[in-house]
Amino acid sequence: MHRILVVDDERNIRKVLSTYLQKEGLAVETVRNYEEAVHKISEGSIDLVLTDMRLPGLSGLHLLQWIKRKQPYLPVLVITAYGSIDNAVEVMKNGASSYLTKPVDMDEMLTLIRHTLVKEQVVKNPHPTDEILDRFGIIGRSPAINKVISTVQIVSSSRANILITGESGTGKELVAGAVHSASSRRSLPFIAINCAAIPADLIENELFGHEKGTFTGAVSREKGKVEMADNGTLFLDEIGEMSIAMQIKLLRFLQERTFYRIGGREQIVSNCRIIAATNRDLEKEVENGNFREDLFYRLNVIQIHIPTLRERKEDIPLLAGHFLDKYAAENKKFIRGIDPQALEALIHYAWPGNIRELQNIIERGVVLSRLDTIVLDDLPKKLRNTYLDRADQPLEEGDFPELSGMPLAELERIAVLKALKAENWNQTHAAKKLGITRRQLRTKMEKYQLL
Ligand SMILES: Nc1ncnc2c1ncn2[C@@H]1O[C@H](COP(=O)(O)OP(=O)(O)OP(=O)(O)O)[C@@H](O)[C@H]1O
Ligand SMILES: [Mg+2]
């Protein structure tokens, strides 16, 4: 059941509206002002907001702006005073789905609500909410990323080694950190070491440390990362780059859980949890003799594979919105959102650099932006081209991930409604567009209560 939030300071109006909408089969919540509305919306179960323009304190326009910044897909209908066309223009410019003028005609309101709900369903991410911020900072709502998050929750309690795989920029380090934060080790160190960034002959020292006087420059005893991560988590990033010689030493530590500092005689125990990550296909590296098979199996006790961004395009609007907020705040800019064309370009680009690339492009867009929205021109040429190329491409399966799982009748309802709207509710034209007779169209309109 769709859930409508009614925002109005007058008790009577709240009551009349909610009684009417409930009778029509909608669930209704009511609040009195901006603050209460923000609170309610952040809880995440609202499908549409119906707000009065005039509220005590911050106005309905402020609320609209907040919503479009935080949850661009949550539709908002604004009730404006009769005859104040300026207000209406203002709210539409700020991304309202539509507006109603006072005194509100209940039928018109209901029709608008129904239409908006259907319309927004086509582009809407199901319930983007602030709650996602608690998912260890991993933004995303796609089934693919949800699976990653639930794996993180499940595996965090054990000490089993984890191998995180995924293309560059997919969030491997973020997920490693999430496993640590979700575990009981969270108050102990999370120590990362990038195997690709450290020369082969220094990596042993980096991992296991050394005793004083072992080599020139070893003026004092130094602990290695394995020792520092005791009882915490040791993150071995880009493990695929580790030399075979070092792989053997690491394997020994994984088997025995003990090690010696370079030049040391004391056997030291470290109870760290190992999380390794790679963007290489380690199985292939094993086949090619570049990676030890025994070490691979030791590390690969639990594998978390992070899907590429192009496999979860549904997450792009959310991620883009998240980075937009972040960089707008950092740059002290007020940016309301992303213009639909720019958003479409973002959604259809292939993202070889995954989330890191998206992050960089949004940052650049924020810096370049001269308006209060990111527009196509604020994006790099390769993205603008993606958008332009797209215009004459036929639709493909997979273009609308949000449609999968939607009942066929709902799809039909949307198609009928879209055709009617495009033809200004001229039934003859809409029927032609849909390839059916006008009578068939009327039957469908009745069925879907569009008359
Ligand atoms: N789901 C996500 N939600 C929010 N931020 C994300 C998400 N995934 C990745 N990021 C951000 O994108 C950037 C790249 O992520 P990260 O460094 O974890 O990727 P990586 O897989 O380790 O990349 P590489 O292979 O290049 O080292 C980071 O700034 C990270 O915070
Ligand atoms: Mg990384």
Side-chain angles (χ1 to χ4, degrees), residues 167-174 194 235 237-238 277 279 356:
E167 278 184 15
S168 177
T170 46
K172 296 185 291 297
E173 183 154 3
L174 183 69
N194 185 337
F235 177 52
D237 203 1
E238 314 221 24
N279 53 23
R356 178 171 299 110

Side-chain angles (χ1 to χ4, degrees), residues 42-80:
S42 301
E43 287 172 12
S45 61
I46 301 297
D47 295 302
L48 183 146
V49 177
L50 178 65
T51 180
D52 194 359
M53 179 74 165
R54 226 188 45 212
L55 296 172
L58 288 173
S59 73
L61 186 62
H62 288 106
L63 179 61
L64 173 65
Q65 287 169 341
W66 181 86
I67 293 170
K68 291 297 137 185
R69 216 167 51 241
K70 290 290 182 185
Q71 301 195 14
Y73 295 96
L74 178 62
V76 183
L77 297 178
V78 183
I79 301 175
T80 60

Side-chain angles (χ1 to χ4, degrees), residues 74-305:
L74 178 62
V76 183
L77 297 178
V78 183
I79 301 175
T80 60
Y82 173 73
S84 65
I85 192 71
D86 288 350
N87 270 346
V89 170
E90 182 86 290
V91 302
M92 293 307 283
K93 271 195 185 159
N94 278 279
S97 297
S98 193
Y99 65 93
L100 291 148
T101 45
K102 285 181 185 171
V104 174
D105 175 317
M106 290 294 180
D107 272 338
E108 188 193 348
M109 175 181 75
L110 187 66
T111 314
L112 266 182
I113 289 179
R114 289 232 164 98
H115 284 191
T116 307
L117 285 171
V118 171
K119 187 181 88 198
E120 301 291 337
Q121 213 157 27
V122 185
V123 290
K124 168 180 146 192
N125 248 296
H127 304 304
T129 73
D130 281 358
E131 166 222 340
I132 47 180
L133 296 174
D134 301 332
R135 310 199 319 169
F136 321 108
I138 302 175
I139 308 290
R141 285 256 139 196
S142 58
I145 204 70
N146 281 342
K147 201 171 133 201
V148 169
I149 293 169
S150 43
T151 313
V152 165
Q153 271 152 351
I154 294 163
V155 304
S156 59
S157 58
S158 84
R159 202 189 74 170
N161 294 340
I162 297 178
L163 180 66
I164 303 179
T165 59
E167 278 184 15
S168 177
T170 46
K172 296 185 291 297
E173 183 154 3
L174 183 69
V175 167
V179 172
H180 179 75
S181 317
S183 75
S184 55
R185 298 167 181 262
R186 74 181 71 87
S187 56
L188 293 150
F190 174 89
I191 307 266
I193 169 167
N194 185 337
C195 305
I198 300 165
D201 52 339
L202 295 184
I203 200 156
E204 181 176 4
N205 181 48
E206 191 75 19
L207 275 176
F208 299 123
H210 60 253
E211 295 292 341
K212 183 177 174 179
T214 312
F215 47 82
T216 346
V219 288
S220 60
R221 167 196 284 173
E222 240 171 68
K223 287 185 182 178
K225 301 230 153 141
V226 167
E227 200 171 341
M228 293 195 272
D230 190 19
N231 293 321
T233 304
L234 179 66
F235 177 52
L236 303 170
D237 203 1
E238 314 221 24
I239 189 84
E241 314 300 317
M242 192 179 262
S243 71
I244 291 276
M246 198 57 219
Q247 289 176 29
I248 296 171
K249 292 184 178 163
L250 178 63
L251 179 67
R252 193 173 310 135
F253 167 66
L254 292 185
Q255 277 165 346
E256 329 237 314
R257 286 279 159 188
T258 59
F259 65 95
Y260 296 92
R261 297 188 193 108
I262 301 177
R265 288 156 167 255
E266 185 194 352
Q267 203 172 37
I268 301 167
V269 179
S270 171
N271 179 25
C272 59
R273 187 210 199 138
I274 306 281
I275 304 181
T278 181
N279 53 23
R280 293 199 183 192
D281 181 347
L282 270 197
E283 267 154 284
K284 210 178 232 142
E285 297 294 315
V286 168
E287 264 172 45
N288 296 340
N290 299 326
F291 204 83
R292 286 188 64 109
E293 190 173 26
D294 43 10
L295 178 60
F296 172 68
Y297 286 117
R298 278 274 166 187
L299 294 171
N300 193 34
V301 178
I302 295 164
Q303 189 176 121
I304 304 181
H305 177 71

